[in-house]
Amino acid sequence: MHTLQVIVFTLFLCVVIEAARIITGPEDIDWSTVRSIREKPGYGPIKYTSNRSERILNGITVARGDIPYAAAILISEEFATYFCGGALISEHFVLTAATCVDGDRELSITVLLDAAQINTAGEFIAVSEIIVHPAPSDNDIALLRLNRAVRLNDNIRPVTLPNRRQRTMTFVNQLASISGWGRTASNTNEALPLNNLRLVRNHVMSNFNCGVSFPFQISDQHICITGDSGSACAGDEGGPLTTVDVVTGRTFLIGLYSFTSFLGCGMGRPTVHTRITEYLDWIEANSDVIILDNWDTRSV
């Protein structure tokens, strides 16, 4: 009888713990317990580690619908919930950094959309499958399959992916935008994530110049932006880096925030992102997205 009681209690405890992982709405989240993915024990290789600063430095607050593809990602464990960013690329898939989810294939992950103000996010969608790049240590990218289709509207809309014509483009000197819910410079004691989605714009720099700041770490799989106007940092991993096509006026995804200097996220330090044009075939093969050879040249 004693053994049976222990088994029943153990099963009950497992059910309680599992239920605690499921997030279906804001009432299921204790934001005071949410932490940057960088605070997770054993997080990432050394090159991704930076504990000096956790903020989008000098970022500006954006309004609802300004970045309709921005995704907030909650990675729930038994006793902690961690946070990352991501980009909605279709009604069923979100792109994020592999360092956010690699090794967490059995955990509960929830995607928040329409979250310009994160505590009033419009959509909470569970993730049914995690697809991490087969070589994540050198390819910081992963796909999250949502367990249902997103209800698209003016505030929730997939970001455009590059077309095949753009595979060889470096985007050097183009103005790019990175968004996230990381801390601001004005108050480093703020809870993470911030309630308001923020944006910073900087120019794309060459990989050669970026390599000066990150010796032996920059490859063709990376795209870097300057830190002249501000910077992404901890809490923004996986967040979308976009630019605007000069012909069509179309905003499209060119990167996912990956890492920055071990010295921190101060002004002037570049940030490193996963270069999306290097993964078009992988994205198409593992999602429902079709990569176009070229876009319609009409403005959108």
Side-chain angles (χ1 to χ4, degrees):
M1 179 64 70
H2 177 71
T3 302
L4 179 60
Q5 289 175 331
V6 170
I7 293 173
V8 171
F9 176 77
T10 302
L11 290 173
F12 172 77
L13 183 61
C14 290
V15 169
V16 169
I17 290 173
E18 186 62 29
R21 292 178 177 180
I22 299 172
I23 297 173
T24 60
E27 66 278 1
D28 298 325
I29 306 172
D30 179 0
W31 290 108
S32 67
T33 67
V34 177
R35 298 289 182 265
S36 162
I37 194 68
R38 290 179 184 270
E39 297 183 39
K40 182 178 179 179
Y43 165 80
I46 292 176
K47 71 177 181 180
Y48 298 124
T49 301
S50 173
N51 56 12
R52 299 289 187 89
S53 178
E54 297 180 344
R55 58 184 182 268
I56 279 197
L57 182 64
N58 279 9
I60 58 173
T61 301
V62 300
R64 186 183 184 195
D66 283 353
I67 310 178
Y69 46 82
I73 301 170
L74 296 175
I75 304 109
S76 300
E77 295 187 348
E78 292 179 13
F79 304 107
T81 299
Y82 298 100
F83 182 84
C84 271
L88 182 71
I89 60 170
S90 79
E91 293 180 36
H92 295 93
F93 283 91
V94 167
L95 269 177
T96 189
T99 45
C100 291
V101 295
D102 186 31
D104 294 336
R105 297 168 191 264
E106 303 304 322
L107 297 183
S108 172
I109 299 179
T110 305
V111 171
L112 281 61
L113 300 167
D114 186 11
Q117 289 190 315
I118 203 167
N119 63 355
T120 58
E123 285 271 30
F124 289 73
I125 307 178
V127 169
S128 60
E129 183 182 8
I130 305 167
I131 306 169
V132 178
H133 192 280
S137 61
D138 297 314
N139 302 274
D140 195 14
I141 189 169
L143 281 160
L144 305 179
R145 185 193 298 270
L146 305 178
N147 73 350
R148 64 169 174 83
V150 175
R151 292 184 285 268
L152 302 181
N153 54 51
D154 289 342
N155 303 312
I156 303 176
R157 191 168 61 251
V159 66
T160 298
L161 292 180
N163 58 54
R164 296 188 186 280
R165 176 184 59 84
Q166 295 169 312
R167 278 180 183 274
T168 59
M169 296 180 67
T170 64
F171 308 110
V172 171
N173 295 326
Q174 286 190 219
L175 191 64
S177 301
I178 178 72
S179 55
W181 290 266
R183 291 175 184 157
T184 66
S186 60
N187 183 1
T188 56
N189 292 320
E190 291 165 321
L192 185 68
L194 292 185
N195 184 42
N196 295 315
L197 178 63
R198 298 176 72 85
L199 170 80
V200 68
R201 294 185 177 95
N202 283 304
H203 288 90
V204 177
M205 61 193 303
S206 71
N207 278 18
F208 177 83
N209 288 337
C210 188
V212 174
S213 297
F214 302 97
F216 310 110
Q217 296 184 56
I218 304 303
S219 69
D220 291 342
Q221 284 71 41
H222 295 124
I223 184 169
C224 303
I225 59 173
T226 70
D228 295 341
S229 299
S231 177
C233 201
D236 297 314
E237 290 78 9
L241 178 71
T242 60
T243 192
V244 177
D245 182 68
V246 295
V247 176
T248 64
R250 187 189 304 253
T251 296
F252 64 102
L253 188 71
I254 59 173
L256 300 169
Y257 175 57
S258 185
F259 66 97
T260 190
S261 170
F262 70 92
L263 296 173
C265 309
M267 292 281 285
R269 296 193 184 104
T271 53
V272 184
H273 309 254
T274 300
R275 185 182 291 270
I276 297 301
T277 51
E278 291 291 312
Y279 298 94
L280 297 181
D281 289 340
W282 181 82
I283 292 170
E284 187 174 64
N286 290 281
S287 73
D288 58 359
V289 175
I290 297 174
I291 304 298
L292 301 177
D293 290 333
N294 203 351
W295 295 329
D296 190 327
T297 56
R298 292 172 296 180
S299 297
V300 293

